[in-house]
Amino acid sequence: MTDATRLSPTRRSLVLLGAGGLAWLTVRPALATPDTMAAGIADFTRGVAPIPGRVALEIPPLVENGNSVPLTIRVDSPMTEADHVATIAVFNEKNPQPFVARFHLGPWSGRAEVGTRIRLGDSQKIVAVAALSDGTFWSGAADLVVTLPACVEN
């Protein structure tokens, strides 16, 4: 084998390189950032800046296992026909998809409170935005530390 043939790429090496590159593009982790979360919130509110307050998040500040984290969201609202919460949306800043959940409520709900469990891949900020029947948006946030992130297999 000459030096020229040893340095030139073979068809097999080019195919493997292309397959590896395609696999990297397909399965690479999403690059979620605080900016993507802010864009998701702006999309939900149609560009209106939510007002901080009236939304309270109940979530542990220190999470040992991010696979199933309990989250309760309460909004200060009388939940009457004239004044009620229409939608509560939950966002996070470091998971692949910043838009975590959307809950539709109305006066029939009785109280403006929802509960769920979410998976968290890292320590991050969770933001809940409530859309009220008068067209205003209110928000609340919580920072938390995740010691064992979800989606990590060893």
Side-chain angles (χ1 to χ4, degrees), residues 5-74:
T5 57
R6 198 176 324 154
L7 296 177
S8 65
T10 63
R11 185 174 8 172
R12 178 177 288 177
S13 66
L14 289 175
V15 168
L16 289 175
L17 181 64
L22 182 62
W24 180 81
L25 287 173
T26 306
V27 298
R28 68 185 171 147
L31 301 175
T33 64
D35 291 337
T36 58
M37 181 178 75
I41 292 171
D43 187 45
F44 173 71
T45 63
R46 296 176 300 278
V48 176
I51 304 164
R54 295 182 68 174
V55 178
L57 281 73
E58 184 178 310
I59 189 166
L62 178 62
V63 177
E64 289 186 27
N65 187 340
N67 282 314
S68 181
V69 181
L71 170 66
T72 302
I73 302 162
R74 292 182 186 89

Side-chain angles (χ1 to χ4, degrees), residues 69-99:
V69 181
L71 170 66
T72 302
I73 302 162
R74 292 182 186 89
V75 182
D76 182 22
S77 171
M79 294 304 282
T80 62
E81 191 67 39
D83 184 10
H84 62 270
V85 176
T87 307
I88 297 174
V90 181
F91 302 89
N92 62 16
E93 65 181 5
K94 290 189 179 175
N95 277 19
Q97 297 295 323
F99 202 146

Side-chain angles (χ1 to χ4, degrees), residues 125-136:
K125 175 182 278 190
I126 306 295
V127 176
V129 179
L132 274 60
S133 59
D134 63 358
T136 59

